[in-house]
Amino acid sequence: MAIFETSQQLHSYISELFEEIATLPEAQEALETLSLCVRFNYTMPDCVMTLTVANGEYTISSEPCVDVTPDVELTMTGDVAHKFWKGELNVMGAIATHEIGINGSLGKIMRLTPLIKVAIRHNKERS
């Protein structure tokens, strides 16, 4: 059985995580150094989310970003996303086995690493 039954559940899970971490000093520090747009294409359930980071702030939207071309697109199932945000996934292994598809520069997505680490650490603590 899938972790997320609906797109709304998946969207809420990730949106709430980002709302919570935005208040953390480590996340604010990571945000200050980023200027990046990442589109997450989720399947099972289908959900598209766009994370845009610039000038120390971010937006996360379920709307397709028409005015900005994403620097990177990541594609994965909802279950893989859950493992990813819980820190239970070998990301490089998931990329190698195509559990996570990447369209764009791996170098650009690596710039998100500090923010992702804060999100994963916080997500583990809230469970």
Side-chain angles (χ1 to χ4, degrees), residues 3 8-9 14 20 22 31-33 39-40 51 56 59 75 81 83 86 92 95-96 104 106 109 124:
I3 299 287
Q8 183 58 36
Q9 288 174 330
I14 293 171
E20 291 172 15
L31 286 169
E32 288 175 7
T33 64
R39 181 173 297 141
F40 295 91
L51 172 67
T59 58
T75 303
K83 289 179 187 175
K86 287 289 207 182
M92 294 312 286
I95 291 168
L106 185 57
I109 196 66
K124 285 180 178 181

Side-chain angles (χ1 to χ4, degrees), residues 51-70:
L51 172 67
T52 306
V53 181
N55 303 318
E57 297 184 1
Y58 79 93
T59 58
I60 190 155
S61 171
S62 59
E63 299 299 318
C65 178
V66 291
D67 55 339
V68 177
T69 301

Side-chain angles (χ1 to χ4, degrees), residues 34-127:
L34 290 172
S35 179
L36 191 65
C37 179
V38 180
R39 181 173 297 141
F40 295 91
N41 299 306
Y42 297 116
T43 61
M44 300 184 325
D46 292 344
C47 179
V48 174
M49 297 183 75
T50 303
L51 172 67
T52 306
V53 181
N55 303 318
E57 297 184 1
Y58 79 93
T59 58
I60 190 155
S61 171
S62 59
E63 299 299 318
C65 178
V66 291
D67 55 339
V68 177
T69 301
D71 296 298
V72 179
E73 289 188 69
L74 299 174
T75 303
M76 65 191 86
T77 66
D79 286 353
V80 170
H82 185 259
K83 289 179 187 175
F84 176 87
W85 292 112
K86 287 289 207 182
E88 300 171 350
L89 184 69
N90 175 327
V91 175
M92 294 312 286
I95 291 168
T97 61
H98 304 287
E99 284 182 278
I100 296 178
I102 294 182
N103 184 13
S105 167
L106 185 57
K108 286 186 179 182
I109 196 66
M110 295 305 289
R111 293 194 315 223
L112 263 181
T113 300
L115 186 62
I116 290 170
K117 285 182 178 182
V118 171
I120 289 170
R121 186 171 43 254
H122 178 75
N123 204 17
K124 285 180 178 181
E125 292 171 359
R126 76 180 196 169
S127 296

